[in-house]
Amino acid sequence: MVGKLYLKIVPLIFAIHISTTRCDAAEPWQISFQDPATPLIEGIINLHHDLMFFLILILTLVSWLLFRTVYSFHYKKSPTPSNSAHGTMVEVVWTITPSIVLIFMAIPSFALLYSMDEVVEPAVTVKAVGHQWYWSYEYPDYSNEDGEIINFDSYIVPEEDLQLGQLRLLEVDNRLVVPTNTHIRVVVTGADVIHSWAVPSLGVKCDGIPGRLNQTSLFIKREGVYYGQCSELCGVNHGFMPIAVEAVPLKNYVEWVQNKLAEE
Ligand code: CUA
């Protein structure tokens, strides 16, 4: 009895916890964006809202026209159909109006697109390499006396090894640790086939292509653990190579780097 109650209460507490804290991972029945943590994803969400404004306007107008057409031109309502085939004025209006709407959508869209491409002078560079089927990370900025750099593999935590509170299919054994409020460059590549390094809360989705280096930038505004998944179909375990990014204050990051370098 006590055991059964426990089984009900723990998920409930967990559900309340998830719904009241920041959402930096996908959640069941999620229908909107995860909470933003970088200026990039804030821009993406704002663009989405801008576009939704036009979308709702167009949907309303088109539905209204459709309804009016079906209703007013029913054969019982107008037995003798109008024989007008065209009108210059209406054609000018329905050509010009959508073009203006398109311009209003294109301007913020291009502004965002080009600003996302901008890599601000980075203070930290990390390299993410996609493998079948795990990620490996390198920190080429630092090395110890033996000239070794920090590099490690990041594997999924299998379902049977999950601790209470760890997220199924999202938790990894070694998270990518990065500092907050710092310009970070992420260099992404693939070791075998194309993978894609994607973290929704950070607004990043970058293909890892063998023989090529792609780069994207991060500026994480708050501490947290951000979860993502490989987003390019890369083989049978494509769904089992998640990404976990742990953003910590700069001071803790420096400590982490020192400890890691000592371990290497
Ligand atoms: Cu790696 Cu999909």
Side-chain angles (χ1 to χ4, degrees):
M1 181 60 205
V2 175
K4 289 241 175 84
L5 196 66
Y6 174 79
L7 279 179
K8 276 184 186 156
I9 285 176
V10 169
L12 184 70
I13 292 171
F14 195 59
I16 292 169
H17 171 76
I18 283 209
S19 57
T20 52
T21 49
R22 294 228 176 241
C23 162
D24 296 323
E27 62 173 318
W29 298 99
Q30 180 183 333
I31 52 165
S32 192
F33 294 99
Q34 293 174 29
D35 294 326
T38 63
L40 279 187
I41 185 66
E42 285 171 0
I44 293 169
I45 293 174
N46 286 334
L47 179 74
H48 167 265
H49 293 346
D50 282 355
L51 297 186
M52 282 309 273
F53 170 77
F54 291 109
L55 203 143
I56 289 166
L57 225 61
I58 293 166
L59 181 78
T60 312
L61 178 73
V62 172
S63 314
W64 178 75
L65 284 175
L66 194 64
F67 174 78
R68 287 294 305 206
T69 313
V70 171
Y71 180 77
S72 312
F73 297 95
H74 190 268
Y75 71 98
K76 276 183 185 153
K77 253 188 137 27
S78 58
T80 35
S82 147
N83 47 21
S84 66
H86 63 271
T88 312
M89 192 57 208
V90 79
E91 283 179 26
V92 167
V93 169
W94 77 38
T95 309
I96 301 287
T97 319
S99 355
I100 293 172
V101 171
L102 281 182
I103 290 168
F104 274 108
M105 285 158 83
I107 290 169
S109 171
F110 278 104
L112 178 67
L113 190 68
Y114 289 117
S115 62
M116 286 178 75
D117 226 25
E118 205 70 45
V119 176
V120 182
E121 190 62 37
V124 173
T125 300
V126 291
K127 185 177 174 190
V129 185
H131 303 259
Q132 279 173 319
W133 289 274
Y134 63 97
W135 289 96
S136 68
Y137 298 107
E138 290 171 24
Y139 291 71
D141 291 340
Y142 333 100
S143 61
N144 60 14
E145 293 98 62
D146 304 325
E148 293 159 330
I149 58 161
I150 301 173
N151 68 88
F152 54 85
D153 296 339
S154 181
Y155 280 88
I156 188 174
V157 174
E159 215 168 321
E160 59 272 21
D161 295 344
L162 283 176
Q163 306 285 314
L164 190 66
Q166 287 191 325
L167 299 171
R168 183 177 152 267
L169 302 180
L170 290 176
E171 196 55 73
V172 299
D173 56 358
N174 294 305
R175 293 168 174 170
L176 176 71
V177 178
V178 287
T180 52
N181 297 315
T182 308
H183 289 286
I184 303 161
R185 164 169 51 198
V186 186
V187 176
V188 186
T189 190
D192 33 46
V193 297
I194 305 178
H195 301 267
S196 181
W197 199 81
V199 185
S201 284
L202 306 181
V204 167
K205 182 170 283 177
C206 189
D207 275 7
I209 301 165
R212 261 189 74 137
L213 283 180
N214 278 341
Q215 75 171 354
T216 178
S217 57
L218 285 182
F219 185 86
I220 306 177
K221 291 165 79 177
R222 57 186 168 81
E223 288 165 48
V225 183
Y226 305 95
Y227 293 96
Q229 288 172 301
C230 178
S231 297
E232 179 62 60
L233 196 51
C234 56
V236 284
N237 286 338
H238 160 65
F240 308 98
M241 50 178 297
I243 296 148
V245 179
E246 191 172 336
V248 298
L250 194 59
K251 197 167 74 64
N252 301 31
Y253 173 73
V254 172
E255 268 167 38
W256 180 85
V257 167
Q258 284 167 342
N259 290 338
K260 271 283 176 186
L261 281 175
E263 270 175 36
E264 285 294 327

